[in-house]
Amino acid sequence: MDHSILKTLTHVEGRAMTDVPANHVSLRMDNVQLVIAVKRGQRPSIVHWGRALAHSAPEEFEVLSTRQWAFGGPTEDVAPSLSNELGAGLGGPSGLLAHRDGGDWASFLRVEQVEMVTAQHVRIHCRDKNVGLGVTYDVALGPDHAALSITISVKNEGDAALFIAWAPVMAMPLDERLSRVWGVTGRWAHEFEVQEIGAHRGTYLRENKAGRTSHDNFPGLIALAPFTHETAGPCAGFHLGWSGNNRVRIDRHTDGRSFVQMGELFFPGEMKLDAGEVYRSPTLYAVWSDTGLNTLSQSFHRVLRQDILDGRSRAKPRLVHYNTWEAVYFDHGEDKSMALADRAAAVGAERFVLDDGWFGGRRSDRAGLGDWTVSSAVYPNGLHPLVDHVRSLGMEFGIWFEPEMVNPDSDLYRQHPDWVLNARGVEQVPFREQYTLDLTRPEVSAYLFDAIDAIVKDYRVDYIKWDMNRDSTHPGGMDQRPVIHRQTHAVYSLMDRLRRAHPELEIESCASGGARADFGILRYTDRVWTSDNNDALDRQRIQRGASYFFPPDVLGSHVGPKRCHITGRMFDMEFRAATAMLGHMGMELDLSEETDADLDVLRRAIALYKAHRALIHSGDLYRLEASDYLNMVGVVAKDQSAALFSCAKVEGHSTTLPGRIRFAGLAPDKHYLTRLIWPTHPPSVTAPSIVEAADLCGDGTVFRGEALVHFGIQLPLMHPNSCLLYHLESVEG
Ligand code: GLA
């Protein structure tokens, strides 16, 4: 081997440049490094994405990863490209697919120019002069987290129209150790189900054409090694920040390489670029961790908190909600709503959200969507008396809209039957008696802005619950071309316009629960409605699944009725309240049906949430490894000075007593005053137990972080469907 190669090749790290003076760019943050080969005139290629290797040069990686000719394949190894476009000649499923009426399909992109936009953000301009295609990759790492944010733009530099059939944001090579895949699936009331797919050859593919992020095909996945778990091992996570149709795939090629591709799913002919037009992709967030899944999630949480959410919800604590839906459904009335507000305020609610049923002819889900004026049938005095009452109780006022939808039985539809998405000659699929409006028509977006703006102004609305309750199955626009790409941008624009007009207005993204939860919508909203399912036991799983990507601050989490309306199961208030506390807490039940004792428990839970929400909504989230009968999740302050861990017993165990639990994220040498702050009574079903031995429900005991993490603490014997909250506070040793 020629050793001089390591000395003579150059690379650039964190330095501005306008041409390609070097062969590689390297972005590094915390323990993560991305190295891309950017030799001018050649294909751009990811050389390394993984642990930061501070003492090694990119050129070493290239030599170390030299592949060779193998029988039955090309006589020279074909390197991957950032888009694995057809002309690049790599075997296996392709990346970018574009053509001009069947011609110009063999695009082959070569590096032209590299810009360091900042020390942590590189822009790589590539071109195929032959077919008239320009592709620009924007890749940023950090600045204050180890998540990559990647977008591409594709420009038609030819004269004739260019059709893009598939434009994955980037073909991300997977470390070959990551043989397991966790996909995220689900259904209504059962969101964020993590599904393991073992080692495979070929393709893992998920396609979402619901016109929203969907319940069943969340655009995120995690790849992990056989030995990876929450606190150790390599893993990579991917999430497409996009609320429209998408495709997610992992292709494990026969040559041993694997790629993750995520991008928009286009309907036939949907992405047509005329001469000079540019397609801009949504952002792909990609996270690497060498230290297990908790670190991976923390990177997702940081990028969301720091780069995506806007300042309005960070500027104040996450207020305790009272939502009217499960208390009254469509049976509204001024007195009734005021009484709900009284009871909500009495237990500590800080925001009253008037759900579906306040407008037009909306006395059931069969009519009225689209007619966004207050119903005089149910609120003959308008909403002012209610809103004034809510404010006099010290609460903010929030209200429900489903802007993108219309019931055929509505004044709006009677006036504008042509305003809906459709495919000519094809019956609409029945779906909650409603159709999707075509927001790419400027008059539709203008109508919705004016209607919502008028209500927000009139009532000084603080918060909108923005719902979206059907799949858009036949998304043809005015000229019958499919429009989900443009429709999704139109929704973002409408939200953006409203937020600019009302700088303090907060918005919740709801779509029959969690069917529009993604980092794209969270640029314009402040939280997601995680699930319509308020069954505390199901919520333990749903919230754990969601936590791989989303931090607790954005996950709406409500205390539901004693008997869950969706599952029919019954849980006591201690369990319901504890489950809601580790998110953005709220209530969604008829409080008049609760006993005084339960209302008192709820009041105490809300007070506890308020006392600890600053920690819950800013700390690092840790999921703990434990037996299946437990679900343990906690939050540790950034400076490790405090922590709150929830330990839910979700089923019985086969041993007489449960085992010890081990916390995570604590500083080994700090001393932590350890107490049980929930439930409101000593939780052990027999005594004495560790509860008394360590005075956990009283003054607590000080233990070293190291002991709590590596030795662990014995669990008391408790009933299934109960939940402990441990509070740990560092004290002088
Ligand atoms: C959807 C939402 C619910 C509620 C209803 C109202 O199902 O997910 O929370 O707002 O719509 O119709």
Side-chain angles (χ1 to χ4, degrees):
M1 176 183 152
D2 176 5
H3 293 270
S4 62
I5 191 172
L6 301 181
K7 296 192 200 98
T8 54
L9 298 181
T10 57
H11 74 281
V12 164
E13 194 170 302
R15 199 149 54 72
M17 56 182 174
T18 52
D19 210 335
V20 190
N23 293 330
H24 302 97
V25 285
S26 169
L27 307 179
R28 202 187 304 163
M29 176 55 61
D30 297 340
N31 298 322
V32 175
Q33 186 178 16
L34 174 76
V35 179
I36 309 179
V38 286
K39 294 178 191 130
R40 191 186 182 116
Q42 298 198 19
R43 73 185 68 203
S45 190
I46 292 180
V47 176
H48 172 63
W49 177 46
R51 177 199 283 261
L53 300 169
H55 306 292
S56 323
E59 294 74 20
E60 290 178 72
F61 306 153
E62 285 209 333
V63 179
L64 285 165
S65 58
T66 304
R67 291 163 63 90
Q68 67 194 78
W69 169 73
F71 297 107
T75 46
E76 270 181 29
D77 185 56
V78 179
S81 179
L82 294 184
S83 285
N84 285 347
E85 63 277 13
L86 279 182
L90 190 77
S94 78
L96 178 67
L97 286 172
H99 65 97
R100 282 193 182 77
D101 197 18
D104 288 345
W105 50 266
S107 36
F108 184 13
L109 296 159
R110 294 161 198 270
V111 177
E112 280 231 323
Q113 218 187 33
V114 178
E115 265 176 73
M116 293 306 297
V117 181
T118 68
Q120 292 300 125
H121 175 178
V122 64
R123 182 169 294 152
I124 304 165
H125 299 276
C126 298
R127 178 165 279 150
D128 181 338
K129 288 186 185 132
N130 240 353
V131 305
L133 186 68
V135 173
T136 299
Y137 303 88
D138 271 276
V139 186
L141 182 59
D144 301 315
H145 49 74
L148 286 168
S149 304
I150 310 171
T151 57
I152 58 163
S153 46
V154 181
K155 183 171 183 189
N156 179 7
E157 297 181 344
D159 297 329
L162 181 84
F163 285 91
I164 303 180
W166 171 228
V169 177
M170 207 185 246
M172 298 293 293
L174 266 191
D175 183 319
E176 70 273 10
R177 289 172 297 171
L178 309 186
S179 56
R180 294 157 70 202
V181 175
W182 283 8
V184 186
T185 181
R187 60 160 166 84
W188 173 72
H190 189 87
E191 291 84 345
F192 298 108
E193 182 186 336
V194 175
Q195 183 194 33
E196 166 134 5
I197 295 101
H200 69 277
R201 182 72 44 78
T203 298
Y204 168 74
L205 174 70
R206 301 202 69 104
E207 296 198 334
N208 166 36
K209 58 181 180 54
R212 53 181 179 170
T213 321
S214 88
H215 287 108
D216 43 341
N217 290 299
F218 175 74
L221 60 84
I222 295 169
L224 56 170
F227 51 92
T228 299
H229 53 87
E230 292 292 354
T231 48
C235 48
F238 305 86
H239 170 52
L240 187 72
W242 181 241
S243 319
N245 295 336
N246 66 68
R247 179 182 288 125
V248 167
R249 56 186 303 156
I250 299 184
D251 299 301
R252 299 209 185 268
H253 296 201
T254 314
D255 68 8
R257 291 159 160 149
S258 299
F259 298 90
V260 172
Q261 298 186 37
M262 290 192 183
E264 281 188 68
L265 180 143
F266 300 126
F267 273 35
E270 179 170 357
M271 191 46 63
K272 174 184 174 225
L273 299 180
D274 287 327
E277 282 188 336
V278 178
Y279 161 71
R280 290 194 171 75
S281 77
T283 305
L284 173 68
Y285 300 93
V287 162
W288 169 267
S289 161
D290 248 359
T291 47
L293 296 159
N294 281 325
T295 317
L296 174 140
S297 295
Q298 288 160 14
S299 290
F300 277 125
H301 299 175
R302 280 192 197 136
V303 71
L304 181 71
R305 284 172 175 166
Q306 291 170 12
D307 295 1
I308 298 172
L309 294 174
D310 83 11
R312 67 192 74 201
S313 49
R314 248 180 286 142
K316 60 185 192 195
R318 298 275 181 174
L319 302 182
V320 177
H321 280 201
Y322 178 82
N323 179 291
T324 60
W325 179 238
E326 293 207 5
V328 296
Y329 294 104
F330 291 102
D331 194 7
H332 282 234
E334 188 179 287
D335 291 347
K336 203 178 210 177
S337 294
M338 284 192 187
L340 296 178
D342 288 334
R343 287 192 206 99
V347 291
E350 300 166 299
R351 181 183 279 151
F352 181 86
V353 182
L354 190 67
D355 210 282
D356 197 356
W358 58 268
F359 55 90
R362 188 73 168 169
R363 305 292 78 77
S364 76
D365 63 6
R366 288 184 293 282
L369 274 182
D371 300 338
W372 299 111
T373 49
V374 177
S375 161
S376 54
V378 282
Y379 293 104
N381 308 312
L383 288 180
H384 282 295
L386 172 63
V387 175
D388 292 346
H389 185 66
V390 164
R391 289 199 200 288
S392 74
L393 293 166
M395 293 188 286
E396 288 196 354
F397 181 71
I399 195 163
W400 184 94
F401 282 96
E402 194 177 355
E404 296 139 83
M405 295 290 158
V406 65
N407 285 122
D409 184 1
S410 66
D411 293 342
L412 184 71
Y413 188 76
R414 280 184 279 276
Q415 279 161 29
H416 300 288
D418 53 330
W419 275 13
V420 298
L421 296 177
N422 68 98
R424 196 174 298 130
V426 179
E427 297 269 306
Q428 291 272 12
V429 171
F431 208 123
R432 218 188 185 210
E433 309 271 348
Q434 61 193 55
Y435 299 151
T436 313
L437 290 167
D438 180 359
L439 269 67
T440 69
R441 284 176 177 249
E443 64 275 28
V444 176
S445 281
Y447 164 77
L448 291 172
F449 178 84
D450 292 343
I452 300 170
D453 181 63
I455 297 283
V456 172
K457 274 192 187 130
D458 198 4
Y459 297 105
R460 288 195 296 115
V461 169
D462 301 292
Y463 187 88
I464 289 178
K465 178 176 173 186
W466 187 303
D467 215 333
M468 205 272 202
N469 284 317
R470 76 156 288 164
D471 291 348
S472 301
T473 37
H474 295 104
M478 268 183 294
D479 60 0
Q480 285 292 301
R481 266 187 193 284
V483 292
I484 289 299
H485 169 80
R486 288 195 294 134
Q487 171 89 352
T488 308
H489 280 291
V491 175
Y492 291 163
S493 300
L494 180 59
M495 288 177 166
D496 191 43
R497 213 181 141 199
L498 280 160
R499 283 163 84 82
R500 282 174 201 278
H502 304 281
E504 288 177 14
L505 176 71
E506 288 179 48
I507 303 181
E508 164 172 20
S509 174
C510 173
S512 306
R516 193 154 60 186
D518 63 80
F519 286 13
I521 205 78
L522 279 165
R523 229 171 244 295
Y524 308 96
T525 55
D526 303 282
R527 75 166 209 177
V528 297
W529 179 225
T530 317
S531 177
D532 278 353
N533 188 350
N534 293 319
D535 173 307
L537 194 55
D538 280 354
R539 272 296 185 130
Q540 287 283 337
R541 185 204 54 73
I542 293 170
Q543 289 167 198
R544 187 177 177 111
S547 79
Y548 284 99
F549 299 89
F550 300 94
D553 23 322
V554 300
L555 295 174
S557 185
H558 292 178
V559 175
K562 189 173 203 95
R563 183 182 289 283
C564 174
H565 291 185
I566 289 175
T567 64
R569 289 198 292 209
M570 291 181 71
F571 299 104
D572 66 25
M573 182 57 86
E574 304 268 3
F575 187 52
R576 283 180 279 159
T579 301
M581 262 189 258
L582 255 80
H584 178 179
M585 190 180 188
M587 294 166 267
E588 192 161 335
L589 72 170
D590 184 347
L591 289 168
S592 69
E593 290 176 356
E594 299 292 318
T595 63
D596 286 348
D598 279 349
L599 289 175
D600 191 50
V601 172
L602 181 57
R603 197 175 297 118
R604 291 164 75 169
I606 288 172
L608 202 61
Y609 164 82
K610 288 177 183 171
H612 295 288
R613 65 185 154 193
L615 167 64
I616 298 169
H617 298 156
S618 68
D620 288 332
L621 183 112
Y622 286 89
R623 289 169 302 265
L624 304 183
E625 298 285 353
S627 312
D628 285 351
Y629 59 84
L630 296 174
N631 179 34
M632 296 195 300
V633 181
V635 182
V636 180
K638 291 241 171 299
D639 62 0
Q640 297 173 301
S641 62
L644 191 74
F645 280 93
S646 152
C647 172
K649 187 164 171 192
V650 293
E651 14 175 305
H653 38 80
S654 54
T655 47
T656 322
L657 292 177
R660 280 203 301 271
I661 57 168
R662 291 163 177 81
F663 297 113
L666 306 176
D669 53 344
K670 277 197 195 314
H671 295 73
Y672 290 95
L673 175 63
T674 305
R675 290 184 306 129
L676 268 176
I677 56 171
W678 196 261
T680 53
H681 53 81
S684 187
V685 298
T686 59
S689 71
I690 185 161
V691 176
E692 291 78 21
D695 196 18
L696 292 176
C697 292
D699 291 340
T701 300
V702 175
F703 299 106
R704 284 201 175 69
E706 182 186 56
L708 292 167
V709 169
H710 296 290
F711 186 82
I713 181 168
Q714 172 66 44
L715 269 179
L717 184 61
M718 54 205 239
H719 286 137
N721 305 332
S722 54
C723 186
L724 308 176
L725 291 182
Y726 289 89
H727 186 253
L728 306 134
E729 194 178 357
S730 90
V731 291
E732 290 301 313

